[in-house]
Amino acid sequence: MSIEYRVGGIAPSVLRLARPGQYQVNEKGYYGEFGGAFIPEMLYRNVAELREKYLDIMNSADFQEEFGRLLRDYVGRPSPLYFARRLSEKYQTRIYLKREDLNHTGAHKINNTIGQILLAKRLGKKRIIAETGAGQHGVATATVCALMGMECVVYMGEVDMQRQAPNVARMRMLGAKVVPAMSGSRTLKDATNEAIRDWVNHPEDTHYIIGSVVGPHPYPDMVARFQSVISAEIKQQLQAETGSELPTHVVACVGGGSNAAGSFYHFLDHVSVQLIGVEAAGKGLTSGYTAATIALGRPGVIHGSKTLLMQTEDGQIIEPHSISAGLDYPGVGPIHAYLHATGRAIYLSATDQEALDAAFELTRLEGIIPALESAHALAKLKDLQLKPEHVVVVCLSGRGDKDMETYLRFLPADDNPTTTEPYS
Amino acid sequence: MNRIDSLFAQKKEKILTIYFTAGFPRLQDTRRILLALQQAGADMVEIGIPFSDPLADGPVIQQSSKQALDNGMSLRLLFEQLHDIRREVHLPLILFGYLNVVLQFGLERFFEKCTETGIDGLILPDLPLDEFRQDLEPLCKSTGIHFSFLITPETSDARIRQLDEASSGFLYVVSSSSTTGKKKDLSSLQPYFQRIEAMQLKNPFLVGFGIHDHESFLQACRHSRGAVIGSAYIRVLQQAADIEQATKDFVQQILSDNPVHAAS
Ligand SMILES: Cc1ncc(COP(=O)(O)O)c(C=O)c1O
């Protein structure tokens, strides 16, 4: 199949449309009341340069050509849209999995890092920094830095370095310097703080590759555009499969919200498509150990963006909890705060246990081990009151290799047919 | 008259401003530190409102903020601690903090409390210019509280003029592009300070970030009206057995060529 990689273009359609562009960022960098660029002056020049240049660079023919070619030949796009027969039978509906887990490096994160490294090159930057939670964005960044011969420093919470050790090893092998973030909860929020501080200290030669639709404008919009390839492909693939480019539901997990933004992007103006984001409830919404920002957050400013965030009454940011390092973030991309406020998308949450159950279910029904993050999206299939005539697309944002240690810890012992007895 | 304006009207050079984090090292040290700084001869004080995620700060101030929050510090408590501070402290006082804490407190209420307390100026490093104009400038105008923007070596001349225009009281010149607390040799930065001096801005300016001893203080003051010291004082407080004595020694050492090695 041939896919045209238009970055962030909105495909025309005669189907029920919202006001075109209604859900896009405005010229001031806001989605409704959310977004903006709340940064110290030390970052102003870099962020302003990016804001002034990102659209021109992304829309230029040579960028489009190089980006499209790398997505195809290096990442392996288009990623398959797989009809999950046994999962569909179980839920009495039609379920398609968008297989971002089959991308090079094993998650959707590489769509964005390819885009940003090409941008960084065109801005003349020599050094790349990134934050990472699950390590998928760190690996995707280390990968493109190796590809382009650029210096790479990845900040990762010390707790996450332990729970996602295989990804730390991969980053090191790829030549990246992995720096542990030791402050706060020592997870994604703190890694992001450290990356921002690094950028403050290296404003001339460094580009910060943010891993989700978070941070100051233009990052949320830029990352959403790079990830929008997901929904551009879904449309074409569904058209070929079902005769209609529109599903009834699109479901994606939400950490910062980049795979969800990419999965929703080309459906935003088609109001017949139900958009569903799934946050990490951790041990439960009322447990005090959760990362369900949209469910529990109030408007505030985190990492340069006005958005919903989990905070105390005094405005201190609350340390989140999720079994999944990639969803363990106390904020959310401003586009999601806005889609929530306008009712265009709905946001549910899945507990650690629900995510584990969903991961084991997919593994046994389809032979696919999902990332713990993606398992949160799968976990809500049971709550959507699905019907046989529905067409549901779930973004399988990544694969579960990095989570094997967690999975094995929770795999019921009596459920494991492996034996050390020789076959007789 | 705003105390910041009086200070700049009276003192033409080597204005010493010292930063400390409220609630550090102990929750109830705020008043004591303010008095110690006044006694020791500081000209102005920046009171840091602790925040869980201080993006512009290096490890020393981060650590002090964390300890202050662990001690139970909050903006509400800070205003309580300061409610009659003007009976004893006559120095200009500036609140330095991150926007989220102020937003959650409520902007109007924040300005009311600042007015009641006798706060003279504000620095909110993550507040953008447009949002300042829209949301804070009217409140600053009506209360007479000053607001200082930061500028850095990366800030263009055109933008320096904009930030100067929006600021009142003084402009805060960040010595080099970095987080707080990196000790620096400021001699190589003289052309930058000179350039700003030559721009003949509306506001006087102070230099901050990385100033830690007599030598760097003098360097910072060569083309400016004075300097701000933060992390170096926090380091002193971290180890101080006696806050008054340690503060006195520190300020003397910054101001004088021959630091008095007072026995402590
Ligand atoms: C596989 C996978 N899915 C999802 C996420 C969450 O990020 P986002 O919400 O930006 O898609 C991560 C983050 O690390 C991830 O690795």
Side-chain angles (χ1 to χ4, degrees):
Chain A
M1 190 189 322
S2 93
I3 302 270
E4 196 201 335
Y5 292 102
R6 282 207 47 217
V7 184
I10 298 169
S13 171
V14 289
L15 285 145
R16 281 187 278 162
L17 279 172
R19 186 160 47 76
Q22 184 178 348
Y23 300 107
Q24 297 294 324
V25 78
N26 70 21
E27 65 288 350
K28 292 198 152 167
Y30 279 85
Y31 300 88
E33 65 167 302
F34 301 109
F38 294 81
I39 46 167
E41 184 62 23
M42 293 75 105
L43 293 178
Y44 181 84
R45 203 172 101 176
N46 273 326
V47 171
E49 180 186 31
L50 208 55
R51 185 187 67 221
E52 282 155 18
K53 295 186 178 161
Y54 81 111
L55 288 177
D56 285 348
I57 292 177
M58 286 169 73
N59 290 329
S60 68
D62 76 300
F63 182 95
Q64 292 275 328
E65 198 277 328
E66 197 177 359
F67 185 53
R69 196 162 34 77
L70 284 172
L71 287 187
R72 188 189 65 210
D73 301 340
Y74 188 72
V75 176
R77 302 203 73 92
S79 67
L81 185 71
Y82 165 69
F83 176 67
R85 187 177 58 80
R86 296 186 68 209
L87 194 67
S88 296
E89 275 168 13
K90 164 108 199 245
Y91 291 100
Q92 297 287 300
T93 188
R94 283 176 291 168
I95 299 171
Y96 290 87
L97 302 178
K98 181 58 173 163
R99 298 293 305 276
E100 295 299 303
D101 61 316
L102 294 178
N103 293 340
H104 180 42
T105 70
H108 67 292
K109 297 284 181 186
I110 191 129
N111 304 326
N112 170 44
T113 60
I114 295 264
Q116 285 203 48
I117 197 104
L118 296 180
L119 201 101
K121 262 195 353 184
R122 283 160 177 77
L123 293 173
K125 302 292 183 181
K126 302 276 180 289
R127 179 173 175 272
I128 296 294
I129 56 173
E131 87 296 338
T132 195
Q136 289 302 115
H137 174 60
V139 168
T141 303
T143 298
V144 298
C145 287
L147 180 66
M148 298 294 166
M150 293 233 238
E151 184 188 344
C152 181
V153 179
V154 179
Y155 292 89
M156 187 169 189
E158 199 212 6
V159 169
D160 292 340
M161 286 180 72
Q162 284 165 23
R163 60 179 167 173
Q164 311 278 220
N167 275 342
V168 177
R170 290 164 81 197
M171 285 184 268
R172 288 187 170 148
M173 181 155 175
L174 287 159
K177 182 173 162 195
V178 184
V179 182
M182 306 297 289
S183 57
S185 53
R186 289 168 288 138
T187 61
L188 183 52
K189 160 178 93 83
D190 313 290
T192 308
N193 289 340
E194 290 309 327
I196 292 174
R197 290 186 186 116
D198 180 311
W199 211 21
V200 165
N201 284 291
H202 300 92
E204 313 88 21
D205 62 341
T206 298
H207 175 72
Y208 176 18
I209 300 191
I210 295 185
S212 192
V213 288
V214 301
H217 177 68
Y219 277 103
D221 182 50
M222 181 172 74
V223 176
R225 285 169 187 261
F226 286 138
Q227 292 293 1
S228 72
V229 64
I230 299 173
S231 50
E233 288 178 3
I234 293 172
K235 268 187 159 178
Q236 295 203 19
Q237 291 166 321
L238 265 189
Q239 180 73 45
E241 273 283 310
T242 68
S244 164
E245 62 175 16
L246 299 184
T248 53
H249 301 69
V250 177
V251 190
C253 67
V254 177
S258 67
N259 88 91
S263 302
F264 295 173
Y265 199 90
H266 291 284
F267 299 116
L268 286 171
D269 292 340
H270 299 279
V271 294
S272 71
V273 181
Q274 173 84 257
L275 306 174
I276 299 140
V278 184
E279 303 188 289
K283 294 180 198 287
L285 287 183
T286 55
S287 67
Y289 295 90
T290 175
T293 307
I294 289 182
L296 300 172
R298 283 179 292 116
V301 174
I302 182 173
H303 298 144
S305 182
K306 187 181 266 188
T307 186
L308 294 172
L309 63 123
M310 299 204 304
Q311 55 184 320
T312 65
E313 212 176 294
D314 190 41
Q316 308 299 338
I317 295 170
I318 292 176
E319 298 178 352
H321 165 85
S322 167
I323 193 170
S324 130
L327 304 183
D328 209 348
Y329 185 69
V332 67
I335 185 173
H336 293 292
Y338 183 60
L339 293 176
H340 170 69
T342 55
R344 176 63 192 94
I346 59 165
Y347 293 85
L348 308 173
S349 62
T351 63
D352 293 349
Q353 189 59 53
E354 285 180 300
L356 285 167
D357 294 344
F360 291 130
E361 177 179 270
L362 186 75
T363 305
R364 294 297 167 87
L365 286 178
E366 298 288 349
I368 298 171
I369 301 178
L372 262 169
E373 290 79 15
S374 323
H376 285 72
L378 294 163
K380 290 292 107 170
L381 287 169
K382 64 178 167 25
D383 298 339
L384 292 178
Q385 291 162 336
L386 298 169
K387 302 207 173 75
E389 64 273 22
H390 286 155
V391 174
V392 182
V393 176
V394 181
C395 183
L396 202 69
S397 57
R399 58 181 177 241
D401 309 27
K402 67 186 176 60
D403 299 310
M404 286 315 295
E405 209 189 300
T406 309
Y407 285 149
L408 289 179
R409 218 163 11 129
F410 288 94
L411 188 67
D414 58 355
D415 182 38
N416 188 345
T418 303
T419 170
T420 49
E421 301 287 306
Y423 184 74
S424 55
Chain B
M1 193 170 171
N2 186 302
R3 291 174 196 83
I4 297 173
D5 297 330
S6 313
L7 173 64
F8 279 93
Q10 282 158 22
K11 191 161 179 179
K12 297 297 170 193
E13 56 168 23
K14 294 186 193 160
I15 291 175
L16 173 62
T17 302
I18 293 194
Y19 165 97
F20 74 97
T21 306
F24 173 87
R26 281 163 310 184
L27 186 61
Q28 301 297 346
D29 284 337
T30 311
R31 177 176 159 275
R32 193 169 162 198
I33 291 173
L34 283 168
L35 285 171
L37 285 168
Q38 174 167 277
Q39 190 68 32
D43 296 306
M44 180 154 73
V45 183
E46 253 181 53
I47 305 173
I49 306 165
F51 180 49
S52 54
D53 297 78
L55 288 179
D57 287 304
V60 174
I61 293 181
Q62 278 175 51
Q63 182 52 39
S64 70
S65 299
K66 181 176 187 310
Q67 190 170 325
L69 292 173
D70 291 347
N71 288 344
M73 198 61 205
S74 69
L75 183 51
R76 182 194 319 215
L77 181 59
L78 176 59
F79 281 126
E80 275 172 32
Q81 291 177 345
L82 294 178
H83 88 278
D84 59 358
I85 199 71
R86 284 308 181 189
R87 288 198 203 150
E88 297 166 297
V89 175
H90 312 293
L91 301 178
L93 296 179
I94 294 166
L95 291 186
F96 175 104
Y98 290 84
L99 182 59
N100 194 52
V101 175
V102 173
L103 286 181
Q104 302 312 316
F105 193 83
L107 276 183
E108 309 252 326
R109 191 168 146 234
F110 178 70
F111 273 84
E112 268 168 36
K113 283 285 175 193
C114 286
T115 306
E116 273 173 41
T117 310
I119 296 298
D120 303 289
L122 302 173
I123 301 174
L124 303 172
D126 57 348
L127 178 70
L129 186 54
D130 283 352
E131 281 72 7
F132 168 77
R133 289 235 162 88
Q134 191 183 303
D135 299 330
L136 270 80
E137 194 165 39
L139 291 164
C140 285
K141 290 239 157 90
S142 66
T143 56
I145 293 173
H146 286 327
F147 190 95
S148 298
F149 277 95
L150 269 52
I151 65 169
T152 81
E154 305 277 314
T155 311
S156 69
D157 283 6
R159 186 166 163 83
I160 291 176
R161 296 234 175 258
Q162 284 183 325
L163 295 172
D164 178 46
E165 195 46 50
S167 297
S168 52
F170 66 95
L171 199 60
Y172 193 127
V173 172
V174 176
S175 62
S176 67
S177 288
S178 75
T179 41
T180 53
K182 293 223 155 135
K183 290 186 186 168
K184 292 174 223 174
D185 171 16
L186 278 77
S187 49
S188 64
L189 297 165
Q190 293 308 326
Y192 160 54
F193 303 143
Q194 239 165 330
R195 173 168 72 90
I196 294 163
E197 188 183 29
M199 285 180 79
Q200 309 250 345
L201 298 171
K202 176 187 101 180
N203 293 292
F205 69 93
L206 301 178
V207 173
F209 284 39
I211 294 139
H212 59 279
D213 59 9
H214 179 62
E215 173 64 24
S216 53
F217 178 67
L218 287 188
Q219 291 276 8
C221 291
R222 262 177 67 191
H223 297 282
S224 77
R225 295 284 291 281
V228 186
I229 298 183
S231 301
Y233 182 56
I234 297 290
R235 278 191 210 101
V236 167
L237 286 178
Q238 250 161 15
Q239 293 159 9
D242 174 344
I243 286 180
E244 286 75 14
Q245 188 63 45
T247 301
K248 190 171 159 217
D249 292 348
F250 179 71
V251 170
Q252 269 184 28
Q253 176 235 314
I254 295 295
L255 293 178
S256 128
D257 280 318
N258 311 305
V260 192
H261 289 289
S264 46

